Amino acid sequence: MAVLLKINGKSQAVDAAEGTPLLWVLRDHLGMTGTKFGCGIAQCGACTVHVDGQPIRSCITAHEDVEGTDIVTIEGLSSRQAAVIQAAWEAIDVPQCGYCQSGQIMSAVNLLANNANPSDGDIDDAMSGNICRCASYMRIRQAIKDAAKKL
Amino acid sequence: MFLDLANKNLTQAAKPKHIPILFKPTRRHVLGGLGGLTIGLSLAACQSKTKSESPKALAEFPDNSGLEEGPGLFISIAEDGRIQIRSPRSEMGQHALTSVAQMIADELDVEWDMVELAQAIGHPKYGDQNTDGSTTVRNNMIHFRRAGASMRHMLEQAAANEWGVDKSECSSELGVIRHGSGKKISYGEIAKAAAALDIPSEEDVVIKDRKDWRYIGQSMPSVTVPKIVRGEGIFGIDVRLPNMLNAVIARPPTVWGKVKSFNPDDALAIAGVVKVLELPAPQGDAIGFQQVGGIAIVAKDTWAAIQGREALQVEWDAGPNETYNSDEYAAALTEAVNKPGDVKLRRGDVSSQLAQASKMVSADYYAAHLSQSPMEPPAATAKWDGDKVECWACTQAPQAARRTVAQVCGVPEENVTINVTWLGGGFGRKSKADFVVEAALIAREMGQAVKVTWTREDDLKHGYFHAVSAQHMEAALDENGQTTAWLHRSAFPSINSTFAAGVDQGSEFELSLGATDAPVAAPNMQVEIGKAEAHLRIGWLRSVANVYHHFAVGSFADELAHAAGRDSKDYLIELIGSDRNWDPTTDGAIYPNYGRSLEEYPIDTARLKAVIEKAAEMAGWGRDLPQGRGMGISAHRSFLSYVATCVEVDVDDEGRITIPNVWVALDAGTVVNPRHTKAQMEGGTLFGISNALYGEITAKDGVVQQTNFPDWRVMRMREAPRAMEVHIMESDAPPGGVGEPGTPPAAPAIANAIFAATGKRFRRMPILGQSDHLNLTGEG
């Protein structure tokens, strides 16, 4: 049964088995590989996307459950917050390997959309679901603060 | 260099091998026009900067992939003057592509904005591609510089020929060749003529003076980050080919375990599963980089394959390692280091000193198995065409992957093409080619392209684990508190066990990582190795044996300071002793020195002490700290670089730790990119702290017990330091490594800080494990 998903503003019919997580629909069915697989159980945040503006872990979200929502992935970020965050990330070269950074950026965009001036504690709360094994945490924190200043 | 382990080539401090042929005066050098391999995943145009022209207006790069030698291996020049630099080194977060481009572009003398990056396939002609041992800069800088300079030489010669003048009258300036008369020609215009020239001899090619460097030593922005922040990087797991199937594998839960029986029916009943097939078991008596066997579930998408594996009915024959239990093994290791072992370094007479010392101090340390767990788990894609196979993989070692795929599949190496994608972290795991072999085996069976994805559970259950270890330390102090004897006994399952049968103790090579190289000034010193068989695949992880050896050495140095009633930093400086270049071989040790000579890269105690003083100065060492806070310091030379780390911890009444500050001083000699070098110090330090606080892989009945990130714990944002400062010492010494040296001192530095804050000595890694509270009452 095809499911109609609205991803980055574009509606797409997806014919995947019921229960297939959004992550694998994005990656394997739609070829959108910017959203990453890291753990499969919502522990690492690499698969974070926005559903109706909220960050969710696409690895545990059945694709049919997000039919009718607005899904935004790293490829579709277009808000001013996102542009400022991406620029802040580039300005100090936050990423090392970069694999987790799609998820980091999705979480950071949501943080700044809801909190213009996050404290260290706010950053901890918003970002601790996103593991970076390269441990680029010092620069993620810095870039979020830099972006907040610009916004 | 760690692949040398497989070759048993540990004892020679050899020069770096696999040097690309950049100079060969007699052969014709062809820059363009050759057909050859198509790199399916060219990483060209990594940079996101948009050019004013549309992409179609850009000139094509000549296809240099068929070249066998010369600077064209690494450099292609398009008619419009754009430069393509082909990196033979894998990109896994150390910004190797950027630093390779810096080294080549500097000597080539081109505008940075004209440079685009591509990735070389795995092939010996590119020289050393083993992205491991922190070697990209330290072992290859001179080759990359010569490649750039050699190409510049040829461009100048071609311009001179064009103008009928002597080459000495021509000079380069950022992509243009100029003549004294005012004539000029761009690289793009003269590139084809340059390509037809002979490769110059090494003596004819002049590399720049250090003072003239334009990019080397500068914090050039990363060439990968602009793509990363838009989700455009292509990692191994992101590879997609037409008609590609996706596979996951049910692997034997124990090493050398085998499939006893299986029934594919339930797996095949899952929608999307197209095939269930048994992989061959590994051959011979050493597992090496072979596949571990098991049952592959091949499906239309990855999720279906995962579901198919859940449903699969399979029975395993556990094999010889089912007796492996971490608790018992820990006791055996500790027992092993509490009796005499094989002596691997001996200076003076440790036993008699210990017997007559006015004070004797001893301590046992333990460090658990660790997993590299890169955020991108291993993943590889393969596609056969007749008896030729093309693979795409996030590999640190494409030549090893090529060799192993050829061996296991029984085809000549020439039939195997390894395309290297970006790596979502490596940390040593992706040096091992097993996952590439799996893809090749399954794709051959399927007759179509197949991607093998490892889930996180696969990564943790079937890894090449960092060795568990026990260390026993003893020291004699004289009446002034000075250390007069130092005994270090180590036991751990050796990496060599992965490559040879019957290995039952660690190697001199592993001891040289933090034990036999400890620059202890005491007149009596002894290092011994104890017995330890391996029951998991043992592999290397960022900084390798330095992790556990330096945890013990760095912690014990602090214990001695306290035993002597001295300041930890001052005592550490005294323990290292006078300024000298120390050679462990004079005390009978086999000392590979990270593959380089001690003449070129001595163990220079003055440099080690200098980073200690610098880190202490940055930290304000010795200042009063609030209640509950403590500062710890440690320093170590590894991968030819010197790092001192000072950690400040805050421990609350319930034993919860936070890290207000970390200070790191690094002397890596010549540094190519300070910004990215600092990033490696940040990441390497936090990786080390994560190991020390949380990292623990255990086995029961031969089966790894951890399954995913909740029970394999790694540092998260809330646990990261609140502030961190890195200082790079000014130096024109030859380059040292930077990817790994940050890790070793971090573990003892935080353990020492916790002692300073609490008075409790933690001698076991991990210090916290799954807990958020220090155990301040029981035994460390």
Side-chain angles (χ1 to χ4, degrees):
Chain A
M1 253 301 262
V3 168
L4 204 60
L5 295 179
K6 192 175 165 201
I7 301 168
N8 300 333
K10 187 176 147 200
S11 286
Q12 308 202 54
V14 173
D15 192 10
E18 190 180 335
T20 303
L22 177 61
L23 170 69
W24 297 111
V25 167
L26 290 169
R27 294 180 53 80
D28 288 353
H29 290 254
L30 301 173
M32 299 172 69
T33 54
T35 304
K36 303 302 188 193
F37 166 70
C39 69
I41 57 167
Q43 287 296 315
C44 79
C47 67
T48 304
V49 301
H50 293 170
V51 169
D52 289 338
Q54 294 301 311
I56 61 114
R57 310 301 187 210
S58 65
C59 72
I60 56 157
T61 304
H63 73 286
E64 63 269 22
D65 290 350
V66 288
E67 190 170 24
T69 68
D70 273 321
I71 301 163
V72 176
T73 71
I74 185 76
E75 293 96 340
L77 281 178
S78 58
S79 67
R80 179 162 167 264
Q81 274 108 356
V84 170
I85 282 170
Q86 285 164 326
W89 248 244
E90 285 190 54
I92 59 170
D93 281 344
V94 169
Q96 292 182 28
C97 84
Y99 189 78
C100 73
Q101 297 290 342
S102 298
Q104 302 281 359
I105 288 171
M106 297 310 283
S107 292
V109 167
N110 186 260
L111 168 64
L112 288 185
N114 295 304
N115 182 344
N117 188 24
S119 66
D120 272 5
D122 296 334
I123 293 172
D124 287 345
D125 291 344
M127 303 303 294
S128 285
N130 291 84
I131 295 174
C132 175
R133 188 67 169 135
C134 303
S136 64
Y137 299 123
M138 308 310 297
R139 293 186 195 213
I140 292 173
R141 187 188 302 279
Q142 184 62 50
I144 289 173
K145 290 179 177 176
D146 293 347
K149 269 185 213 139
K150 290 238 164 68
L151 290 163
Chain B
M1 70 185 281
F2 298 118
L3 294 178
D4 291 350
L5 287 161
N7 301 328
K8 292 288 195 178
N9 190 17
L10 304 182
T11 55
Q12 298 160 6
K15 285 183 177 163
K17 284 161 288 204
H18 311 308
I19 295 168
I21 301 169
L22 297 175
F23 304 102
K24 201 168 183 184
T26 54
R27 292 275 297 272
R28 297 287 283 176
H29 168 76
V30 183
L31 196 94
L34 294 177
L37 307 164
T38 303
I39 298 181
L41 264 185
S42 170
L43 301 178
C46 291
Q47 287 148 297
S48 73
K49 56 178 171 292
T50 47
K51 306 238 168 8
S52 51
E53 308 95 320
S54 75
K56 280 180 186 165
L58 297 177
E60 281 192 15
F61 290 110
D63 178 7
N64 285 5
S65 57
L67 291 185
E68 293 299 326
E69 59 190 29
L73 288 171
F74 305 110
I75 304 160
S76 304
I77 303 176
E79 281 179 11
D80 58 9
R82 284 156 47 252
I83 309 293
Q84 186 183 61
I85 289 177
R86 177 172 284 113
S87 171
R89 312 288 302 176
S90 298
E91 177 59 66
M92 52 188 181
Q94 79 286 42
H95 297 298
L97 295 190
T98 307
S99 54
V100 167
Q102 285 179 254
M103 292 183 274
I104 291 177
D106 205 320
E107 296 287 351
L108 181 59
D109 197 11
V110 291
E111 294 276 11
W112 184 250
D113 284 354
M114 297 300 277
V115 174
E116 300 176 17
L117 268 295
Q119 187 80 43
I121 60 166
H123 196 287
K125 69 185 180 183
Y126 292 111
D128 173 20
Q129 291 184 275
N130 183 19
T131 311
D132 204 319
S134 302
T135 49
T136 291
V137 170
R138 71 177 174 89
N139 280 357
N140 298 286
M141 183 176 195
I142 189 64
H143 309 311
F144 291 130
R145 290 182 59 204
R146 283 179 177 155
S150 178
M151 183 64 87
R152 173 168 44 87
H153 177 102
M154 293 167 73
L155 292 159
E156 287 171 353
Q157 184 64 60
N161 294 351
E162 173 93 3
W163 296 325
V165 300
D166 194 81
K167 181 185 164 294
S168 63
E169 297 165 26
C170 301
S171 61
S172 69
E173 187 190 346
L174 290 174
V176 176
I177 310 290
R178 293 181 188 280
H179 181 251
S181 64
K183 286 188 203 134
K184 61 173 184 173
I185 191 164
S186 75
Y187 283 12
E189 291 168 300
I190 200 70
K192 231 176 217 168
L197 299 176
D198 287 342
I199 300 169
S201 67
E202 187 172 339
E203 308 83 69
D204 287 343
V205 170
V206 181
I207 56 173
K208 283 183 175 178
D209 276 347
R210 189 182 183 93
K211 64 177 170 41
D212 297 325
W213 283 347
R214 182 183 295 272
Y215 304 124
I216 299 172
Q218 301 300 312
S219 289
M220 304 309 291
S222 168
V223 298
T224 52
V225 164
K227 273 192 171 288
I228 288 167
V229 301
R230 290 165 183 82
E232 294 169 2
I234 298 295
F235 297 85
I237 202 169
D238 297 331
V239 169
R240 293 166 54 81
L241 298 179
N243 300 316
M244 184 183 80
L245 293 168
N246 296 276
V248 299
I249 299 168
R251 297 177 183 82
T254 51
V255 176
W256 293 112
K258 288 190 170 64
V259 176
K260 190 188 279 176
S261 65
F262 75 105
N263 181 339
D265 295 349
D266 291 350
L268 287 166
I270 300 291
V273 172
V274 298
K275 184 99 175 176
V276 174
L277 58 93
E278 184 173 355
L279 290 175
Q283 300 297 302
D285 53 10
I287 205 149
F289 294 154
Q290 298 178 78
Q291 78 292 350
V292 296
I295 309 289
I297 292 87
V298 189
K300 287 180 180 161
D301 66 36
T302 312
W303 179 249
I306 292 170
Q307 296 303 105
R309 184 172 66 178
E310 288 282 312
L312 178 73
Q313 303 289 319
V314 57
E315 270 195 89
W316 305 103
D317 181 351
N321 290 309
E322 68 175 331
T323 56
Y324 186 44
N325 288 293
S326 287
D327 289 347
E328 294 161 21
Y329 194 81
L333 276 183
T334 303
E335 199 184 312
V337 294
N338 274 282
K339 58 189 182 195
D342 273 4
V343 177
K344 296 297 183 181
L345 178 147
R346 190 199 309 268
R347 175 164 80 236
D349 183 352
V350 162
S351 315
S352 66
Q353 274 296 312
L354 287 168
Q356 67 184 40
S358 70
K359 193 167 199 173
M360 204 277 265
V361 182
S362 75
D364 284 342
Y365 299 87
Y366 178 83
H369 280 298
L370 299 169
S371 164
Q372 301 87 354
S373 59
M375 288 313 295
E376 177 200 30
T381 302
K383 182 174 179 290
W384 287 81
D385 181 6
D387 62 353
K388 293 189 170 66
V389 62
E390 186 163 12
C391 304
W392 291 259
C394 46
T395 173
Q396 292 176 244
Q399 292 175 26
R402 185 169 184 249
R403 207 159 47 235
T404 316
V405 167
Q407 281 164 4
V408 174
C409 295
V411 296
E413 271 191 53
E414 304 83 75
N415 289 16
V416 182
T417 302
I418 305 289
N419 300 292
V420 181
T421 66
W422 289 5
L423 282 65
F427 314 116
R429 172 62 184 91
K430 292 172 181 171
S431 302
K432 291 84 171 175
D434 56 337
F435 61 103
V436 193
V437 173
E438 290 174 340
L441 287 170
I442 299 168
R444 185 163 65 178
E445 286 294 314
M446 298 305 297
Q448 68 190 98
V450 174
K451 173 162 66 183
V452 171
T453 296
W454 285 50
T455 64
R456 183 60 57 197
E457 289 82 359
D458 298 337
D459 178 47
L460 291 175
K461 293 242 172 248
H462 306 288
Y464 284 83
F465 297 98
H466 171 82
V468 59
S469 80
Q471 321 285 319
H472 176 77
M473 312 293 296
E474 288 183 29
L477 304 190
D478 65 16
E479 59 278 7
N480 300 318
Q482 283 209 322
T483 298
T484 56
W486 172 277
L487 172 68
H488 183 173
R489 247 185 241 133
S490 181
F492 52 88
S494 175
I495 292 169
N496 282 1
S497 64
T498 298
F499 301 102
V503 174
D504 66 353
Q505 68 179 30
S507 66
E508 286 88 352
F509 168 77
E510 288 155 311
L511 283 177
S512 80
L513 309 176
T516 51
D517 61 342
V520 175
N524 306 284
M525 177 175 175
Q526 191 155 308
V527 178
E528 302 172 14
I529 188 81
K531 295 286 180 196
E533 286 183 0
H535 300 283
L536 296 173
R537 294 193 294 179
I538 303 298
W540 46 101
L541 164 145
R542 191 178 202 168
S543 87
V544 201
N546 287 295
V547 172
Y548 43 82
H549 284 146
H550 192 68
F551 174 61
V553 167
S555 295
F556 195 56
D558 195 59
E559 297 211 44
L560 296 182
H562 288 281
R566 299 284 310 283
D567 173 79
S568 293
K569 189 269 291 182
D570 292 345
Y571 196 84
L572 181 57
I573 295 280
E574 283 181 20
L575 194 64
I576 295 165
S578 63
D579 291 359
R580 65 195 186 281
N581 290 346
W582 182 53
D583 178 355
T585 66
T586 59
D587 293 327
I590 290 169
Y591 189 67
N593 197 33
Y594 299 93
R596 302 305 290 260
S597 75
L598 279 163
E599 289 72 40
E600 194 182 7
Y601 287 98
I603 301 176
D604 183 340
T605 58
R607 291 174 74 185
L608 186 61
K609 288 186 290 179
V611 292
I612 294 169
E613 294 291 4
K614 183 64 193 179
E617 177 200 318
M618 292 159 72
W621 182 267
R623 65 187 155 86
D624 285 337
L625 294 171
Q627 178 70 25
R629 290 209 180 183
M631 229 184 246
I633 193 164
S634 194
H636 185 44
R637 170 191 182 270
S638 66
F639 304 88
L640 312 175
S641 293
Y642 303 78
V643 178
T645 305
C646 185
V647 176
E648 181 182 356
V649 298
D650 186 308
V651 183
D652 72 11
D653 293 343
E654 292 172 39
R656 281 184 294 247
I657 302 179
T658 51
I659 305 170
N661 282 294
V662 177
W663 300 268
V664 173
L666 162 74
D667 179 350
T670 299
V671 165
V672 170
N673 189 309
R675 176 197 277 190
H676 299 149
T677 296
K678 285 184 177 179
Q680 286 306 298
M681 287 302 110
E682 293 163 17
T685 300
L686 269 54
F687 193 93
I689 293 175
S690 182
N691 292 338
L693 294 180
Y694 313 120
E696 181 160 32
I697 294 286
T698 56
K700 191 166 186 303
D701 301 329
V703 180
V704 171
Q705 293 176 286
Q706 286 68 31
T707 58
N708 208 315
F709 283 119
D711 49 15
W712 163 246
R713 187 175 178 189
V714 299
M715 179 183 278
R716 292 172 182 272
M717 176 65 90
R718 73 168 80 255
E719 296 146 350
R722 299 296 97 177
M724 183 165 176
E725 193 185 336
V726 177
H727 177 82
I728 300 174
M729 309 292 272
E730 283 291 325
S731 171
D732 57 6
V738 298
E740 295 169 271
T743 298
I750 193 162
N752 296 342
I754 292 169
F755 180 82
T758 66
K760 175 85 189 276
R761 177 66 61 182
F762 288 87
R763 301 188 181 95
R764 182 186 190 282
M765 279 176 56
I767 291 169
L768 286 169
Q770 291 293 308
S771 176
D772 283 323
H773 304 266
L774 290 172
N775 176 4
L776 291 172
T777 52
E779 182 61 29

